[in-house]
Amino acid sequence: MMRGTLTILTFVSTVLFPWSLTALLALVASAFEPLVPLAIGIFADTLYYAPFSGALPVFSLYGALATTLAFFVRSRLKTSIIRE
Amino acid sequence: MKRTFLAKRNAIFSPANISWGNAALAAAVFLLLLRLLAPNLFWKIFTPAFRASDALAEASHAIFVSFSDTTKLALRNEELANENAALANENQALTKKVENISGLVPDVDGVTAGVVARPPLSPYDTLVLSAGSGDGVVLGMEAFGAGNVPIGIISSVSSDFSRATLFSAPGVTVNGWVGKNNLPLVIKGAGGGTMSASVARSANIVVGDTVFAPGPGMLPIGRVVRVDNDPSSTSVTLRITPALNLFSIAWVSLRDTGALLSATSTLP
């Protein structure tokens, strides 16, 4: 339930609140759902990205980075004695 | 005995196997495809959400104001300061027009567009506008805020919506002038609603000097708020803030001024 609420709240935040709060929520959500930062990054770029002057879709890239880190941390936790 | 065949039918797609992360990613990709294939429909769907965002921001602001007279006074002060800045910019623009006869271009009609999304919601220094090709908006039109302040250029257009890339967007450059002597300079977008430019140290540009951009004549685009001085260099870097608060802009006027030709960005 908490995962769903957090995921939906992060999506809503992308539209309603400043991007910094959305980024924070996405990072918190990544602890439970690693794919959420990537999804939010794609969503933010879908809404706001303007391809000018070689600018990169940074939100998708940061989201992908956060997702990669989240999966890495989860894999390390699984192989350690500390369980999720 | 009755056997239950295919007891685990659709097991892959059962709700239990679909995590919130997968669902979120699928939704994001779906919306991206919708944005690419049917941009106008996409913005029609999301405009009410942005309007709700604005209403929420106003409502929350009103709640906080009700708690404190100081906040109310600060808000009023901010409104008056913005109004004053807009009037000062308008006055400067008119003065410059009178000084520069060539700036008195008769074509001042344009398209007025409401702002659907602005920074900081829109993080790339862009404005989403509620006017598109159906309203007469074309690629390359220049966007002006209150007081006739140039703020950006239309970089994409759909039938009912358009997107303006602000002069403060990273990578966007525009030719302009600064100071009382109208020193020419190249204004570069620095992101986060700010701009920068490099001028010779001997030009003696100081904090508070007005920066102008081409429009119909010379129009104030911002003010120098800091001069970065490197003793080993013959030039100084000017930090420029826009003449308008981009975070609270509610409408813009769009006019075809040939700004795309003077702005040396690679706007699509």
Side-chain angles (χ1 to χ4, degrees):
Chain A
M1 185 63 186
M2 184 184 170
R3 296 176 179 206
T5 307
L6 201 54
T7 304
I8 291 169
L9 183 65
T10 313
F11 267 90
V12 171
S13 170
T14 311
V15 180
L16 293 186
F17 304 124
W19 65 267
S20 42
L21 178 63
T22 306
L24 181 67
L25 284 171
L27 284 176
V28 173
S30 70
F32 308 99
E33 291 288 347
L35 285 172
V36 168
L38 177 60
I40 293 299
I42 292 171
F43 182 52
D45 279 333
T46 301
L47 286 175
Y48 305 118
Y49 177 65
F52 53 84
S53 190
L56 295 169
V58 288
F59 279 79
S60 295
L61 295 175
Y62 288 149
L65 181 68
T67 292
T68 308
L69 285 174
F71 273 122
F72 176 73
V73 170
R74 287 168 74 93
S75 71
R76 302 303 294 178
L77 284 175
K78 276 181 182 173
T79 54
S80 73
I81 56 171
I82 304 170
R83 291 294 169 194
E84 293 177 68
Chain B
M1 188 177 74
K2 186 179 178 183
R3 287 185 61 187
T4 305
F5 289 100
L6 301 173
K8 290 191 176 180
R9 188 178 56 164
N10 292 331
I12 294 172
F13 301 105
S14 68
N17 290 337
I18 299 176
S19 72
W20 279 101
N22 291 334
L25 189 58
V29 171
F30 171 75
L31 290 170
L32 175 63
L33 290 174
L34 185 67
R35 165 78 180 81
L36 294 173
L37 299 175
N40 206 49
L41 174 65
F42 177 83
W43 287 117
K44 274 192 186 300
I45 292 169
F46 274 93
T47 296
F50 285 122
R51 300 275 187 230
S53 170
D54 277 349
L56 181 70
E58 281 181 19
S60 61
H61 201 78
I63 289 169
F64 287 124
V65 164
S66 67
F67 281 113
S68 168
D69 285 344
T70 311
T71 316
K72 192 176 179 180
L73 285 173
L75 177 67
R76 180 69 181 149
N77 188 37
E78 188 185 348
E79 282 175 0
L80 288 172
N82 286 339
E83 195 177 330
N84 190 34
L87 288 170
N89 289 325
E90 194 171 6
N91 191 33
Q92 280 185 327
L94 290 170
T95 307
K96 284 290 175 187
K97 273 187 183 177
V98 172
E99 287 175 2
N100 188 359
I101 300 299
S102 64
L104 294 174
V105 180
D107 179 22
V108 291
D109 294 333
V111 180
T112 302
V115 176
V116 176
R118 66 184 73 79
L121 273 181
S122 169
Y124 286 106
D125 282 44
T126 57
L127 300 177
V128 179
L129 307 173
S130 62
S133 55
D135 304 295
V137 179
V138 294
L139 208 62
M141 270 185 155
E142 195 166 0
F144 297 87
N148 214 22
V149 174
I151 54 173
I153 298 170
I154 297 297
S155 56
S156 68
V157 184
S158 66
S159 59
D160 291 324
F161 296 92
S162 56
R163 196 193 305 253
T165 300
L166 301 175
F167 290 132
S168 59
V172 173
T173 61
V174 63
N175 296 317
W177 303 270
V178 65
K180 295 180 179 67
N181 297 325
N182 295 337
L183 182 77
L185 79 170
V186 177
I187 305 159
K188 295 177 182 172
T194 61
M195 294 163 281
S196 66
S198 184
V199 296
R201 184 192 302 277
S202 58
N204 290 327
I205 302 299
V206 294
V207 171
D209 278 355
T210 306
V211 182
F212 298 93
M218 292 168 62
L219 299 173
I221 191 175
R223 283 193 179 80
V224 177
V225 290
R226 204 177 78 205
V227 180
D228 287 344
N229 206 335
D230 182 1
S232 63
S233 171
T234 57
S235 62
V236 293
T237 303
L238 309 179
R239 304 295 175 189
I240 303 161
T241 56
L244 280 181
N245 183 1
L246 300 172
F247 291 2
S248 62
I249 193 165
W251 60 270
V252 296
S253 174
L254 305 173
R255 294 200 296 273
D256 202 351
T257 60
L260 192 62
L261 300 175
S262 58
T264 55
S265 65
T266 53
L267 294 167

